[in-house]
Amino acid sequence: MPSKSNYIMKEEEDSNHLDALGHGGAAGGKSNKPDNTPFKQQRLPAFQPTLTAGTVFPAFFVMGLIFVPIGIVLLVISNNIREVQIDYTGVDRASPCYDCAHNVNGTGTTPCTCSIPFTLGQPFESDVFMYYGLSNFHQNHRRYVTSRDDRQLNGDRSALMIPSKECEPYRLRGGLPIAPCGAIANSLFNDVLELYYIDSGGTRHLVPLAKKGIAWSTDKHVKFRNPGGRNLTAAFQGTAEPLNWRKPVFELDPADADNNGFINEDLIVWMRTAALPTFRKLYRIVQRTSNNATPTLPSGNYILDVAYNYPVLRFGGRKRVILSTTSSIGSKNPFLGIAYITVGSLCLVLGMVLLVIHQKYGNRKGSSYFLS
């Protein structure tokens, strides 16, 4: 029977033979053998902990004691944010916008206005952000998302006159290229919203709404540009407006050259598609006055005047206006705080369970229990 020393000698001979082949030996070729280093030969020191209840439950307690307070803080901050939502879809017959909702054609050629009274029970401090919200509107549909021409929106003259085929069937109108082309631009939200404060004497006071500063800075200054110079009428000559628009793109805001054409911020906000069928987009900002003692929107009665142009009943959608303040974590959203509290509570419960297991079985002599 071969001895152990014979096996060792045989392995050394095989190893020397392979080394000779790899270093210009009989085969004369290059060696594929990895270098004899701890890393390449997988001889690095390793640590594989044995997970027991006694070693795991402290980690669960630490995570729980960290997550729960963070969740409480986030939830308190979210609850301190003022927010009110006004649904003006006009589904119910008693709604002030009922007639408009059933007669609007979507292009604004048959204007219809309605007024919705509402009350703010608490004053809104700091800047107030006005959003419009839509439901059951699937901006995340694949064909919808790709129906645009980013080169055209970036001011490329050739793309302006020859839009991308991705824009079909909103690429040409009467033989002229559409600017901006595509389904996203064609469905631009075109309701006009105005907010009035009603004082104790019943007098209406228009609340000033800032229309600039609502778009992302990278979108405004990088992704969207106007073709040609500041004469947008000449720059967009030979193009047509989208089918559902009542005016061309160079008349979106003719009074402000920095908010007109492709760099109009309402257009830019709309072109950033939403991921979910229920979403909100920033419409205007009610900026805080220099007098810090006066709230931006005092408590009391208000009226929302709506130029109802955007049809939603045909696809079962709903429209709403949201007035909201913000905080260091953004707008009102209790989900993050609830998630932290839930995860932290589960960690504490699991820590208690493992502590009981450790107290019951961990002190037994010769115990070898472990967590797999």
Side-chain angles (χ1 to χ4, degrees):
M1 183 174 183
S3 64
K4 182 176 180 181
S5 60
N6 291 335
Y7 282 117
I8 296 175
M9 293 176 63
K10 177 64 175 174
E11 290 178 355
E12 291 178 351
E13 291 176 359
D14 293 341
S15 176
N16 294 333
H17 177 66
L18 291 174
D19 288 341
L21 292 176
H23 294 85
K30 187 177 180 181
S31 173
N32 292 324
K33 179 181 178 181
D35 295 336
N36 188 20
T37 62
F39 177 76
K40 292 187 176 181
Q41 295 298 334
Q42 300 183 14
R43 295 195 300 268
L44 290 174
F47 173 69
Q48 184 176 358
T50 301
L51 299 179
T52 65
T55 60
V56 172
F57 80 81
F60 277 103
F61 276 122
V62 170
M63 287 190 295
L65 293 175
I66 293 176
F67 277 39
V68 170
I70 292 177
I72 293 174
V73 171
L74 293 176
L75 196 59
V76 169
I77 293 175
S78 178
N79 289 336
N80 287 335
I81 296 174
R82 302 276 188 264
E83 182 175 295
V84 61
Q85 298 193 25
I86 305 105
D87 189 302
Y88 69 98
T89 308
V91 176
D92 300 329
R93 187 173 292 274
S95 172
C97 296
Y98 178 83
D99 292 336
C100 291
H102 290 79
N103 296 322
V104 68
N105 59 7
T107 62
T109 55
T110 57
C112 184
T113 59
C114 55
S115 299
I116 303 96
F118 65 96
T119 302
L120 292 183
Q122 296 177 320
F124 281 34
E125 309 291 345
S126 70
D127 290 345
V128 179
F129 296 86
M130 175 185 282
Y131 302 86
Y132 59 86
L134 295 176
S135 299
N136 201 33
F137 192 108
H138 294 265
Q139 277 199 318
N140 57 354
H141 191 281
R142 181 182 62 85
R143 291 289 301 276
Y144 184 90
V145 170
T146 60
S147 185
R148 60 188 293 165
D149 190 340
D150 288 320
R151 290 177 57 243
Q152 185 191 65
L153 294 171
N154 195 243
D156 189 296
R157 185 68 186 177
S158 61
L160 179 67
M161 304 311 297
I162 308 176
S164 170
K165 292 183 179 180
E166 293 288 347
C167 291
E168 294 287 1
Y170 305 103
R171 182 170 175 262
L172 301 176
R173 180 179 184 180
L176 296 177
I178 293 177
C181 70
I184 305 177
N186 186 67
S187 59
L188 175 68
F189 183 83
N190 60 349
D191 281 358
V192 180
L193 309 173
E194 290 184 343
L195 185 64
Y196 292 89
Y197 172 67
I198 311 301
D199 62 18
S200 56
T203 305
R204 292 164 50 124
H205 300 275
L206 179 65
V207 177
L209 303 176
K211 59 185 176 182
K212 297 177 67 174
I214 62 175
W216 289 20
S217 177
T218 52
D219 289 347
K220 175 77 173 181
H221 301 291
V222 179
K223 295 180 64 176
F224 291 80
R225 295 177 182 174
N226 284 322
R230 298 182 70 86
N231 187 354
L232 296 186
T233 303
F236 285 99
Q237 187 176 7
T239 65
E241 66 269 21
L243 275 65
N244 286 344
W245 288 26
R246 60 178 177 175
K247 55 186 177 182
V249 65
F250 54 85
E251 292 183 1
L252 290 178
D253 191 1
D256 188 351
D258 293 328
N259 192 45
N260 200 13
F262 287 159
I263 60 173
N264 178 263
E265 297 201 23
D266 286 327
L267 174 64
I268 294 174
V269 170
W270 179 258
M271 294 299 293
R272 180 170 286 275
T273 55
L276 299 175
T278 297
F279 59 87
R280 63 175 66 178
K281 291 179 182 287
L282 186 58
Y283 179 73
R284 294 291 183 266
I285 302 175
V286 185
Q287 295 177 337
R288 184 178 178 84
T289 60
S290 57
N291 184 4
N292 294 329
T294 304
T296 308
L297 291 180
S299 58
N301 297 322
Y302 289 82
I303 288 181
L304 178 68
D305 276 359
V306 180
Y308 201 114
N309 300 316
Y310 204 75
V312 293
L313 295 184
R314 64 181 63 174
F315 58 85
R318 299 188 73 93
K319 297 191 293 187
R320 64 193 186 281
V321 169
I322 304 103
L323 297 173
S324 175
T325 58
T326 60
S327 67
S328 56
I329 62 172
S331 59
K332 190 178 186 69
N333 185 6
F335 172 78
L336 191 59
I338 294 174
Y340 267 93
I341 294 174
T342 302
V343 173
S345 301
L346 289 176
C347 289
L348 291 176
V349 171
L350 290 175
M352 291 297 297
V353 172
L354 293 176
L355 178 61
V356 172
I357 294 175
H358 176 67
Q359 292 295 329
K360 189 173 182 179
Y361 301 104
N363 295 327
R364 290 187 178 182
K365 186 177 180 180
S367 174
S368 61
Y369 76 98
F370 64 92
L371 299 177
S372 57

